Amino acid sequence: SVLIGISLFYAVAYFPKPWQILLFTTYQCLFTWLLLFRWKRLHKLLGSLLLALPMVLVKLDWNVDVIGFAGISYITFRCIQVYLDGDLLRDKFRFADFIAFLLFTPSLLAGPIDRYERFKGDMDQGWSRLNGGALLSGWEFMVLGLLHKFVLAELVDRYWLSECEGCTEAWPMLKDMYGYTAYLYFDFAGYSLMAIGLGRMMGVELPKNFDKPWLTQNAPEFWKRWHISLGDWLRDYFFRPIYKSLSGVQRLRTWPLLRQNIALFSTFLLMGCWNGLEAHYSISGSLFGLYSVVYNSYQHQRKKLGWDIWKGVHPTVVKVLSIAIMIHLAVFALYIFSGRFPYIHG
């Protein structure tokens, strides 16, 4: 009840139109309850679309003034997770915990995307999680997050990006591309660190969202380290269901690699469109999808045929080169994502 009170106070005090988030939360709570306890026979896809409908309308610029607000996607994903895991969660479902889970203040605007069963486990422990060790650890995360977001990101924005904005020449564009990626990382990772820190101080252990993403050697691994909670959510609630569905298609049963690649590309395309339906979002998601498909196909052929482009090269050299290649590929895709690339508009 304390967390609900804090979350509702934050929603009313912070949001310019608090009735938007209250209306949306009421819609999500009502339909999540109906889908869990009254409409159990409804197809999971239809139920998920029903929960995602307000978010989709916002992405299509419909009814933005009625239900559009920062954080709508994160609340939607949490509701879909509870619904799809309903068989495991019905006995644990409590409205008070569910509302606190949806509106948990530290992670409301930009994640991380938590799971209901993990969040409820912390809630069940109650005040025992509030102790000196948790407060000190949370404060350390807060300080580190403040350093990332309000010092490092601000320095990059002020002294790096400001010189490059709107440039169309090759060198300034390269500076802008790498500068934007540095800014995005410090800003987003900083917010996530602050959310984790504040969560710990409130007795809730939010999941890690970044784990040295610039030391990854391929696209799938990159998304296990960058926005981890989103990558895990898409893997569990989109990639696996679509792969399972494709496995039921008679013509694809003898083509496991094709099934994997279709599911991979679709997942990353959805990830791009989740941010919006503008071209730069879908192209960015498609690029990460393409990277993943190429890597997955290469790994498949390497295991099947023993064909390896790195054959005879020292493992350390392979690792360094793989990391360097992945950095450049990720930076380019994120630059497209930013909308700053001058040759892609809308």
Side-chain angles (χ1 to χ4, degrees):
S1 59
V2 175
L3 285 181
I4 294 176
I6 293 173
S7 299
L8 290 175
F9 175 80
Y10 175 75
V12 172
Y14 177 83
F15 287 90
K17 300 177 181 178
W19 57 268
Q20 290 178 323
I21 188 172
L22 296 177
L23 176 64
F24 173 73
T25 304
T26 301
Y27 172 93
Q28 294 296 87
C29 287
L30 173 62
F31 280 97
T32 300
W33 181 81
L34 288 172
L35 290 166
L36 281 176
F37 298 103
R38 292 291 181 268
W39 301 343
K40 297 179 185 179
R41 295 184 179 181
L42 189 67
H43 194 283
K44 293 291 186 181
L45 177 59
L46 293 177
S48 299
L49 290 175
L50 187 62
L51 292 172
L53 179 61
M55 180 185 71
V56 173
L57 292 177
V58 169
K59 301 300 182 184
L60 294 172
D61 290 329
W62 293 357
N63 295 321
V64 174
D65 292 334
V66 177
I67 54 175
F69 62 92
I72 187 173
S73 299
Y74 290 96
I75 295 177
T76 300
F77 278 20
R78 290 175 189 140
C79 289
I80 293 175
Q81 181 260 316
V82 170
Y83 168 55
L84 293 180
D85 290 342
D87 292 339
L88 303 174
L89 300 179
R90 283 190 183 91
D91 294 339
K92 302 176 183 178
F93 185 86
R94 289 181 62 247
F95 253 122
D97 292 341
F98 183 59
I99 295 173
F101 170 65
L102 294 186
L103 299 179
F104 187 58
T105 301
S107 60
L108 178 60
L109 296 179
I113 305 173
D114 206 352
R115 303 292 176 96
Y116 176 75
E117 58 274 25
R118 199 220 56 75
F119 182 88
K120 189 178 185 307
D122 287 351
M123 294 281 287
D124 290 343
Q125 295 181 47
W127 297 102
S128 65
R129 293 188 59 84
L130 298 178
N131 53 62
L135 290 174
L136 179 59
S137 176
W139 176 245
E140 291 174 349
F141 272 90
M142 282 289 294
V143 172
L144 190 58
L146 289 168
L147 174 64
H148 275 69
K149 186 171 177 66
F150 294 107
V151 178
L152 298 176
E154 181 64 23
L155 288 173
V156 172
D157 186 37
R158 184 173 300 184
Y159 298 108
W160 188 343
L161 288 181
S162 60
E163 299 179 358
C164 309
E165 190 170 359
C167 297
T168 56
E169 296 81 8
W171 175 243
M173 280 179 59
L174 281 174
K175 289 175 61 180
D176 191 40
M177 182 169 70
Y178 288 93
Y180 172 78
T181 302
Y183 170 79
L184 178 64
Y185 172 73
F186 289 132
D187 184 74
F188 196 5
Y191 184 93
S192 295
L193 288 167
M194 289 190 291
I196 292 172
L198 185 56
R200 284 192 179 184
M201 288 189 279
M202 298 172 68
V204 175
E205 184 72 24
L206 290 171
K208 182 188 295 186
N209 224 15
F210 290 86
D211 183 19
K212 302 175 183 177
W214 305 116
L215 297 180
T216 55
Q217 302 179 54
N218 54 73
E221 185 185 355
F222 180 81
W223 282 98
K224 292 179 181 178
R225 293 170 175 258
W226 174 284
H227 206 343
I228 299 169
S229 61
L230 175 61
D232 288 350
W233 193 97
L234 290 172
R235 178 199 64 207
D236 293 341
Y237 302 106
F238 192 81
F239 172 80
R240 287 176 177 171
I242 196 172
Y243 180 76
K244 182 179 179 181
S245 177
L246 290 172
S247 298
V249 178
Q250 184 67 35
R251 294 183 179 181
L252 294 178
R253 288 184 178 177
T254 57
W255 298 89
L257 177 62
L258 180 59
R259 297 199 307 269
Q260 291 175 5
N261 286 341
I262 292 174
L264 273 173
F265 189 84
S266 300
T267 300
F268 282 103
L269 178 60
L270 173 69
M271 181 191 68
C273 295
W274 168 67
N275 293 284
L277 299 180
E278 293 83 355
H280 56 95
Y281 291 134
S282 59
I283 293 174
S284 174
S286 297
L287 281 173
F288 277 114
L290 179 62
Y291 300 161
S292 298
V293 165
V294 170
Y295 177 76
N296 188 53
S297 299
Y298 165 69
Q299 287 293 94
H300 180 82
Q301 293 302 318
R302 186 176 67 85
K303 293 176 181 178
K304 184 177 180 179
L305 305 176
W307 179 74
D308 191 350
I309 61 173
W310 301 109
K311 188 175 182 180
V313 182
H314 193 279
T316 302
V317 175
V318 174
K319 181 177 180 179
V320 171
L321 289 176
S322 298
I323 290 173
I325 293 170
M326 190 60 235
I327 287 175
H328 297 312
L329 291 175
V331 166
F332 179 67
L334 291 172
Y335 186 49
I336 298 295
F337 167 86
S338 72
R340 299 169 71 92
F341 188 63
Y343 303 108
I344 296 177
H345 303 283

